[in-house]
Amino acid sequence: MELVLEGDVVRGDSEARERFYDSRGYGHVDAGGLVLAPVEAAHLLYRGDVDHVRDATSGEGLDFRALLSSAAVSEIAVLVYKDLRDRGFYLSPAREGWVDDPAGADFVVYPRGQGPWDEAVAYRVRAISERTAVSAATLGDSVLAVVDEESAITYLETSHPDIGGSTTTDLPTGVAADLLGDRVLVWEPPATLYREGFYGQPLDDETAEPLQLSLIEAAALAGQGVLDVEGGADAIVECGREVEGERFDRRLSVYRALRGRGVVPKTGYKFGADFRTYADVESVDSLGHSELLVRVLPADHAFSPRDLALDVRLAHGVRKRMVFALVAEAEADGEPRIEWLEVARLTP
Amino acid sequence: MELVLEGDVVRGDSEARERFYDSRGYGHVDAGGLVLAPVEAAHLLYRGDVDHVRDATSGEGLDFRALLSSAAVSEIAVLVYKDLRDRGFYLSPAREGWVDDPAGADFVVYPRGQGPWDEAVAYRVRAISERTAVSAATLGDSVLAVVDEESAITYLETSHPDIGGSTTTDLPTGVAADLLGDRVLVWEPPATLYREGFYGQPLDDETAEPLQLSLIEAAALAGQGVLDVEGGADAIVECGREVEGERFDRRLSVYRALRGRGVVPKTGYKFGADFRTYADVESVDSLGHSELLVRVLPADHAFSPRDLALDVRLAHGVRKRMVFALVAEAEADGEPRIEWLEVARLTP
């Protein structure tokens, strides 16, 4: 029995198929024989299940070191493949014809105890180096396996969460407010604004006056006619753009979208995020912990895995879920499309 | 008794001095009378200790709202001043002639129970908006009071820590290694490399072979003659620059500096940092927790307070100290000057 590297596949005979596919889920069956991806052959070499793979072009026998050093296989893929095998999974390279829906994944991982002959899929995994930027738009239905510079692997599960809450507030209109520097002050705030709507932060805890609003809160409220500020909502948005540029418009869109879904966004500054959110606010007296941390990004953002690790680790540490709001260009109705992306640590 | 706003000071008579300076530490004594900074007058107005301050130019009486809306005082300074007073401190605006060494601070805060008539200083505080970028080079002997967009205040203590440890390792020379993608593999590693020096990560935990080194580790080791890689240390540095640009050189300098101080740097990827560090490694079998998270930055870096909040919060959550390594241009001997800056949460 010999395994032969031919281009981007490694071929074996029916004996190889019995040993490696039938009993341990390596490769893909083709005309009675076995076809392996080079990453699978590398793992068999690493384990000592085979001594060498013959290179069809040169005729040479390749051992693990030689195959790993060749262009046929990436060391990132080999490390992730090995780690998942070590964790007790069978998995298939996501090649056309080998698995359903191979796009966007490097490996399809089966539930423990199952394999390529079953239907179920546990994870669709993309294997990347920590130095590979990842386009946010490509995430949401796969697990990122990130190999760090010291070859340790961390897994990040990505999904598209439903964001919603039950907060509703009847707001007054025409409340006088001053734009001061990069915040807005309401000198005689109706109690409902802060107490029920959780808008702003009182300067004086006892009198709850004046109420300090962020530019985002004030812009949203002025846009709804709740606040009466010199220059109107436009003056506030203008001020926001001066201090934050386009980012202010993206954040304001996400703020409005969250409020529209019954969720209260408050600043996420202390967590280095744009917002923390409360899904079910009845009164500020009975606030629970915030559930989400939200970072607002343009839809074409590419993540550095290191930055992603930082956000996800922090959110995990404070028992919140990390959600990215990906803001696309404005649509015909003037409101931009927002895609919600959740990223969480995963131990497969 | 009347307080009068004249330019950037608010003047009062000897009665004002008795009421506000002698008993409560506001302002500065000048020719028997009192001189206040506008931020102090704003606080007296806010508390209702005085009804108004007369504007010497217009003759008008300014109440809290009017003074806050004027150009005489920043709302950021007022919020921080109020917060420190609420916490029970007396403090002085850091003006020339009012305090020793006013440069680099907005307020000098006295220990609780003390005031401007004592010598002791508890904190030198800079008050900034979360939107103000802060030059890293200006930090190290002051406390940042950051006012977030919703007007909450967090305090960050900055200092220049001594970085040092007790790790020493006798290293072999001329160990063969392969550069593979963006890591280096040592196929037959001397045990001391990993076990005592904590270099690299074994692919196989049992055999400890091969040993995977990061590009940074490999470049440092090859530069010392420990590793023998095709193309030498230069080939590794070249590869590092390809994947990380100039950042690789900065990180390598910091890696070398830490090792030179007896501290073992390992990747900080999981914490979103450049390194985590171990001060006293005798053997990998008896490793404690890492003590520091290190982020490497160019010396001219300006922090966004939000990014700073993220790093400091994360480090606090995992019980490590957050240290920034500020790397300047190389000096005559070829090694760049590195300044260490620690930033930590503070509750005054």
Side-chain angles (χ1 to χ4, degrees), chain A residues 149-150 251 267 273 306, chain B residues 149-150 244 251 267 273 306:
Chain A
E149 62 183 324
E150 286 174 4
R251 296 176 74 225
T267 183
R306 194 173 288 242
Chain B
E149 61 183 326
E150 287 175 2
E244 291 186 8
R251 296 176 75 225
T267 183
R306 194 173 289 240

Side-chain angles (χ1 to χ4, degrees), chain B residues 104-344:
Chain B
D106 295 306
F107 299 113
V108 167
V109 181
Y110 306 105
R112 277 196 186 81
Q114 298 190 38
W117 42 80
D118 296 305
E119 292 290 307
V121 169
Y123 310 111
R124 296 166 44 77
V125 172
R126 275 171 70 182
I128 61 170
S129 155
E130 68 155 294
R131 297 187 173 104
T132 310
V134 185
S135 164
T138 65
L139 297 175
D141 68 348
S142 56
V143 169
L144 280 181
V146 184
V147 181
D148 72 27
E149 61 183 326
E150 287 175 2
S151 308
I153 300 170
T154 48
Y155 294 88
L156 296 172
E157 186 158 40
T158 71
S159 59
H160 293 298
D162 283 328
I163 306 289
S166 66
T167 309
T168 54
T169 316
D170 287 328
L171 295 170
T173 55
V175 178
D178 284 354
L179 178 56
L180 276 185
D182 58 1
R183 62 208 69 234
V184 168
L185 266 71
V186 184
W187 296 95
E188 293 170 3
T192 177
L193 258 189
Y194 175 66
R195 298 197 62 79
E196 289 170 41
F198 202 10
Y199 288 93
Q201 184 66 34
L203 180 61
D204 186 311
D205 287 336
E206 280 176 39
T207 64
E209 292 181 6
L211 185 64
Q212 310 165 95
L213 297 169
S214 72
L215 290 176
I216 293 278
E217 291 174 320
L221 288 171
Q224 292 173 275
V226 178
L227 289 193
D228 186 7
V229 184
E230 199 179 319
D234 288 350
I236 302 169
V237 170
E238 199 53 47
C239 177
R241 286 178 186 156
E242 265 169 44
V243 291
E244 291 186 8
E246 281 181 15
R247 192 169 150 249
F248 185 80
D249 289 273
R250 281 195 295 271
R251 296 176 75 225
L252 181 55
S253 299
V254 172
Y255 182 91
R256 285 188 174 127
L258 288 166
R259 281 276 182 188
R261 288 163 179 262
V263 173
V264 176
K266 298 294 285 185
T267 183
Y269 168 78
K270 285 181 192 177
F271 307 105
D274 285 296
F275 302 114
R276 66 187 198 278
T277 68
Y278 301 81
D280 307 290
V281 176
E282 288 192 9
S283 157
V284 293
D285 296 329
S286 58
L287 278 180
H289 284 288
S290 57
E291 301 94 17
L292 309 182
L293 294 183
V294 178
R295 184 179 294 287
V296 177
L297 296 168
D300 62 359
H301 179 77
F303 289 107
S304 143
R306 194 173 289 240
D307 292 344
L308 207 47
L310 181 55
D311 276 341
V312 172
R313 176 90 192 203
L314 178 75
H316 184 85
V318 296
R319 294 181 193 171
K320 302 184 195 303
R321 293 159 57 201
M322 187 72 220
V323 172
F324 298 92
L326 307 172
V327 183
E329 296 291 307
E331 300 197 331
D333 64 0
E335 279 300 309
R337 201 171 59 81
I338 297 169
E339 187 170 275
W340 309 95
L341 174 68
E342 181 169 355
V343 184

